[in-house]
Amino acid sequence: MTAAGDRRAQFEAEALVHLDALYGLALRLTGGDRARAEDLVQETALKAWRGWDGFEPGTNARAWLLTILRNTFINEFRRMQRHPDPVTFDEIAERSVFADVAEEDPEGGFFDRLVDAEVSRAVDELPDEFRVPVVLSDLEGLSYQEISDVMGIPVGTVKSRLHRARRRLQRRLYSYAKEMGYLS
Amino acid sequence: MMDRAGDGDGERISCEQAIERVYEFLDGELDPDWTERVREHLEVCRRCYPHFNFERIFLDHVRSKGLCPERNELLEQRIREALLPD
């Protein structure tokens, strides 16, 4: 096989096998916007292909690709967020549902009955400023400091957005569970 | 030492102070001092313990269900054509 053929085969075997994971993350970051998610994955793959010679074989290709995708998204996100719309405070949406279910389902058994698509949809429905920290923290496992660094916002803001975002997400899941009859 | 509520060594914290920090605690982002205070509160508070447990279950579900890899064959084909021309 030629050197170019080797490079291609290696890229296929080590990088392109992660396209499904990349697309999954792109969908959540973009709030379920398929066209934007596809562009994001394509741009990520292109950057990875260009930088493939710098990739050290045997290291974690998936993590490397997810980082490229995240950085590509965040650069665009930060450009668009220079003049963000203020996120309004919604007292009811941001109240823990624990008090509502404490009698009937204190251990959150209804979460078990929600399917992956319902959780993904609830994440997608969060406003951008709330969705991105949730994706970075809960789906990607970044620390508050890492989120602060990539988003360019103070750690205190990360903390409060995560808190409010999770409460909104929880209330949305609670509403689904009620609609589906999992809770009375 | 100043005797501020919840801000001195070994002082008990209120339910409100504990609940305010629920996600930081569950994320492992609280400093050791506050982690210990919250932990002590949970050992004795019958109201907060189940609440924290509920929030932990909620986060576990988001983490395990929120990120699903998704196949997009057309996209895959587009990428292969764009990146790897024969």
Side-chain angles (χ1 to χ4, degrees):
Chain A
M1 197 182 276
T2 61
D6 278 351
R7 184 178 189 264
R8 171 185 168 149
Q10 193 194 31
F11 188 74
E12 291 227 17
E14 290 197 43
L16 294 189
V17 290
H18 299 297
L19 283 181
D20 297 356
L22 289 173
Y23 186 53
L25 175 63
L27 281 171
R28 294 295 79 74
L29 284 170
T30 59
D33 183 334
R34 292 186 173 267
R36 252 180 97 201
E38 288 178 7
D39 288 348
L40 190 53
V41 173
Q42 182 152 357
E43 198 177 335
T44 301
L46 191 68
K47 284 180 179 170
W49 176 238
R50 284 194 205 118
W52 189 241
D53 293 336
F55 176 75
E56 205 176 312
T59 58
N60 191 341
R62 185 176 185 275
W64 180 67
L65 290 160
L66 291 173
T67 304
I68 296 175
L69 185 133
R70 185 198 316 132
N71 290 341
T72 305
F73 171 81
I74 291 289
N75 286 340
E76 186 201 328
F77 180 76
R78 286 175 70 165
R79 261 201 310 277
M80 287 166 60
Q81 289 288 302
R82 278 191 194 143
H83 305 288
D85 293 332
V87 182
T88 52
F89 181 68
D90 187 333
E91 197 185 339
I92 293 172
E94 292 169 21
R95 205 174 57 201
S96 172
V97 304
F98 179 68
D100 302 79
V101 301
E103 299 270 308
E104 185 185 350
D105 189 4
E107 297 209 350
F110 72 91
F111 291 124
D112 273 332
R113 304 185 63 182
L114 295 167
V115 296
D116 296 9
E118 284 161 333
V119 178
S120 302
R121 182 151 54 103
V123 172
D124 290 350
E125 285 172 358
L126 290 170
D128 290 355
E129 297 86 323
F130 287 163
R131 189 182 62 253
V132 175
V134 163
V135 173
L136 297 180
S137 172
D138 292 323
L139 308 187
E140 283 222 82
L142 265 58
S143 69
Y144 291 5
Q145 185 61 56
E146 287 169 325
I147 297 171
S148 156
D149 293 342
V150 296
M151 292 188 72
I153 56 176
V155 170
T157 308
V158 172
K159 211 181 288 185
S160 69
R161 284 197 197 169
L162 262 181
H163 192 94
R164 295 173 62 192
R166 286 165 169 172
R167 288 283 163 85
R168 286 185 183 215
L169 186 58
Q170 190 180 74
R171 196 147 284 278
R172 192 76 201 100
L173 296 176
Y174 170 67
S175 301
Y176 287 156
K178 285 189 86 161
E179 282 164 25
M180 300 300 288
Y182 304 152
L183 285 165
S184 57
Chain B
M1 181 182 280
M2 292 248 307
D3 193 25
R4 285 176 295 165
D7 203 18
D9 281 342
E11 266 182 41
R12 292 275 167 85
I13 61 170
S14 65
C15 293
E16 198 185 349
Q17 287 175 308
I19 295 295
E20 261 173 32
R21 292 167 176 82
V22 58
Y23 294 130
E24 286 169 81
F25 178 80
L26 295 173
D27 287 334
E29 293 271 0
L30 271 184
D31 65 40
D33 185 32
W34 269 104
T35 301
E36 198 45 40
R37 288 180 199 187
V38 172
R39 204 189 306 277
E40 278 173 11
H41 181 84
L42 293 179
E43 278 169 14
V44 295
C45 184
R46 280 187 302 170
R47 204 157 46 144
C48 289
Y49 179 80
H51 188 160
F52 270 60
N53 190 44
F54 175 83
E55 297 287 354
R56 184 183 53 74
I57 291 166
F58 157 66
L59 287 185
D60 286 348
H61 277 275
V62 173
R63 288 167 182 166
S64 65
K65 294 179 179 173
L67 189 60
C68 5
E70 193 171 315
R71 178 129 252 189
N72 181 331
E73 285 176 9
L74 280 177
L75 172 66
E76 199 172 323
Q77 195 185 332
R78 211 169 80 194
I79 289 172
R80 283 179 194 279
E81 284 167 7
L83 300 178
L84 309 166
D86 274 310

